[in-house]
């Protein structure tokens, strides 16, 4: 079963705009991770935020985590056409198993 | 350094057959996890192995089995294939499991089509 739910399911923006994706989850977690997937291929790890962190930055990415609301958001600033992909949040608990949401499909048009 | 490798890239089987998928983790990584990703969905956890022992199993039938070898590579076996087993099978490696998760590195996946 899916732990997380990403919102929106699909997002279409122009290059240079910011893209915000949200993720909600159900159970307690140790950490939350965001991944990118291009054209149904392997997943690329973007960023990990631990349950005791509230915000984290990596380049053009900004992730927030609100454990009281069981939600996270991923912000991609100044988006590029190359950012076109599916984005998944995944929660971790215990060993290295991850529980993924259904993903947000992002389309960035030139 | 090579990343996680998986073979084969694509595979076509018919219902009732069995399939073996292979994964080689990043050098130095001792934990391998398998995930199934059906079209339009997020990956679903199947198995995790660490030091050749099963450390976790997802909600999959007994037709699915896996093992890890002394060199930390892994095989996923699926017997009596069903149409619904058609999916992208992803392998991920990490240093070792723990309460504070290590980053998992994913391979490119094996796309299995069952006809």
């Amino acid at each position: 079963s899916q732990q997380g739910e990403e919102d929106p399911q699909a997002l279409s923006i122009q290059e240079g705009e910011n893209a915000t994706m949200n993720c909600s989850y159900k159970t307690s977690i140790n950490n939350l991770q965001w991944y990118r997937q291009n054209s149904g291929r392997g997943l690329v790890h973007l960023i990990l935020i631990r349950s005791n962190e509230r915000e984290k930055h990596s380049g053009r990415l900004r992730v927030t985590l609100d454990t009281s609301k069981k939600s996270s958001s991923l912000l991609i600033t100044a988006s590029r056409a190359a950012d076109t992909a599916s984005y998944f949040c995944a929660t971790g608990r215990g060993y290295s198993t991850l529980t993924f949401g259904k993903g947000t499909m992002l389309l960035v048009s030139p | 350094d090579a990343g996680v490798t998986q073979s084969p890239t694509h595979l076509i089987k018919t219902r009732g057959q069995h399939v073996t998928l292979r994964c080689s983790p990043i050098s130095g990584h001792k934990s391998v996890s398998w995930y199934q990703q059906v079209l339009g969905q997020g990956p679903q956890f199947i198995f995790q192995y660490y030091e050749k022992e099963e450390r976790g199993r997802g909600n999959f039938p007994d037709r699915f089995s896996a093992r890890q070898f002394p060199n930390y590579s892994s095989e996923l076996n699926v017997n009596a294939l069903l149409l619904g087993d058609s999916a992208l099978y992803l392998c991920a490696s990490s240093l070792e499991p723990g309460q504070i998760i290590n980053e998992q590195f994913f391979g490119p996946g094996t796309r299995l089509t069952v006809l």
Side-chain angles (χ1 to χ4, degrees):
Chain A
S1 60
Q2 306 282 166
Q3 154 81 307
E5 289 283 341
E6 286 91 344
D7 170 56
Q9 290 186 351
L11 182 61
S12 182
I13 60 174
Q14 299 290 317
E15 266 191 327
E17 294 181 338
N18 295 341
T20 299
M21 289 160 264
N22 302 296
C23 168
S24 60
Y25 58 93
K26 298 173 184 174
T27 62
S28 63
I29 61 172
N30 290 335
N31 63 82
L32 186 142
Q33 304 183 45
W34 284 90
Y35 285 83
R36 185 185 73 227
Q37 185 176 41
N38 292 84
S39 302
R41 299 302 292 170
L43 294 157
V44 175
H45 184 269
L46 296 176
I47 196 165
L48 179 153
I49 185 167
R50 301 184 191 283
S51 58
N52 61 353
E53 297 175 312
R54 292 297 168 257
E55 187 171 313
K56 202 162 184 179
H57 296 255
S58 177
R60 295 185 295 113
L61 305 180
R62 172 179 168 255
V63 168
T64 62
L65 178 64
D66 187 335
T67 53
S68 65
K69 295 181 179 178
K70 291 186 169 60
S71 67
S72 173
S73 68
L74 171 68
L75 169 67
I76 304 174
T77 60
S79 61
R80 306 165 182 167
D83 294 329
T84 294
S86 291
Y87 291 82
F88 295 90
C89 70
T91 53
R93 186 179 179 203
Y95 289 110
S96 295
T97 62
L98 293 172
T99 305
F100 286 84
K102 293 183 179 180
T104 292
M105 196 176 301
L106 174 66
L107 174 63
V108 182
S109 301
Chain B
D1 285 341
V4 177
T5 59
Q6 292 186 243
S7 63
T9 305
H10 295 87
L11 202 51
I12 299 175
K13 292 284 189 178
T14 57
R15 282 178 295 175
Q17 288 188 312
H18 80 275
V19 67
T20 298
L21 310 180
R22 296 177 175 82
C23 171
S24 292
I26 291 171
S27 176
H29 284 194
K30 299 179 179 180
S31 178
V32 170
S33 298
W34 287 95
Y35 293 82
Q36 180 197 62
Q37 186 179 22
V38 174
L39 193 63
Q41 301 289 318
Q44 297 251 16
F45 170 70
I46 309 175
F47 287 109
Q48 190 209 29
Y49 275 78
Y50 174 65
E51 293 281 15
K52 295 171 287 180
E53 290 189 5
E54 182 183 301
R55 287 298 187 94
R57 171 187 278 260
N59 188 24
F60 280 81
D62 292 343
R63 299 185 296 107
F64 288 77
S65 63
R67 56 178 175 169
Q68 187 177 33
F69 299 99
N71 66 354
Y72 304 111
S73 66
S74 178
E75 282 182 356
L76 175 70
N77 295 285
V78 187
N79 293 324
L81 286 167
L82 303 174
L83 295 179
D85 295 331
S86 294
L88 181 68
Y89 288 85
L90 295 162
C91 172
S93 78
S94 60
L95 284 169
E96 58 182 279
Q99 288 297 315
I100 303 298
I101 197 170
N102 286 309
E103 179 181 339
Q104 290 199 39
F105 295 83
F106 282 81
T110 293
R111 184 158 303 280
L112 171 65
T113 302
V114 182
L115 301 176

